[in-house]
Amino acid sequence: MLPCFTKQILGVDCPGCGLQRSLLFLLKGEFTSAFLMYPAIYPMLLLFGFLGLNKLYPFKHSNTITITLMVSTVGFILTNYILKFI
C-alpha cells in the first residue's frame, strides 16, 4: 500500500487516511470492516457510481443528486476526520 505522506511528514492523519485499507476490505467482502476503517467509503462509492451511470444515461435532476451526494460525502469525510482527534 502507498504510505500517507502527510502522516510521515507531519505526524497526523490526513482526511483520506484509511481509504486504501477500506477499499481492500471491500474487495475481500468485509463490508463492516470497510465502513469502520473509513466511513465515507459508501457515500463516495454512491457518488462515483452515480456519476458513471449519469454519463451513460443522463438523469433529469442529475445536478441536484450530484450536489447532494457530494455534500454527504464531504460531510462523512470531515466528520470522520474530526472524530479521529477526539
Side-chain angles (χ1 to χ4, degrees):
M1 293 217 196
L2 297 173
C4 178
F5 295 114
T6 304
K7 191 167 187 170
Q8 286 181 343
I9 295 171
L10 300 177
V12 295
D13 288 344
C14 70
C17 279
L19 180 61
Q20 289 181 41
R21 290 173 286 178
S22 180
L23 285 172
L24 187 62
F25 280 133
L26 270 180
L27 292 175
K28 290 180 180 180
E30 299 176 22
F31 302 110
T32 305
S33 298
F35 178 78
L36 293 174
M37 182 61 62
Y38 194 71
I41 189 71
Y42 293 117
M44 193 177 296
L45 288 176
L46 277 173
L47 173 63
F48 291 141
F50 177 75
L51 289 174
L53 190 63
N54 188 43
K55 191 76 169 170
L56 296 173
Y57 307 105
F59 291 95
K60 184 177 182 182
H61 300 288
S62 63
N63 287 340
T64 305
I65 296 170
T66 302
I67 289 171
T68 303
L69 288 172
M70 289 171 70
V71 167
S72 67
T73 300
V74 170
F76 268 87
I77 291 170
L78 290 178
T79 303
N80 181 44
Y81 188 62
I82 291 169
L83 289 176
K84 282 183 182 181
F85 291 112
I86 294 177

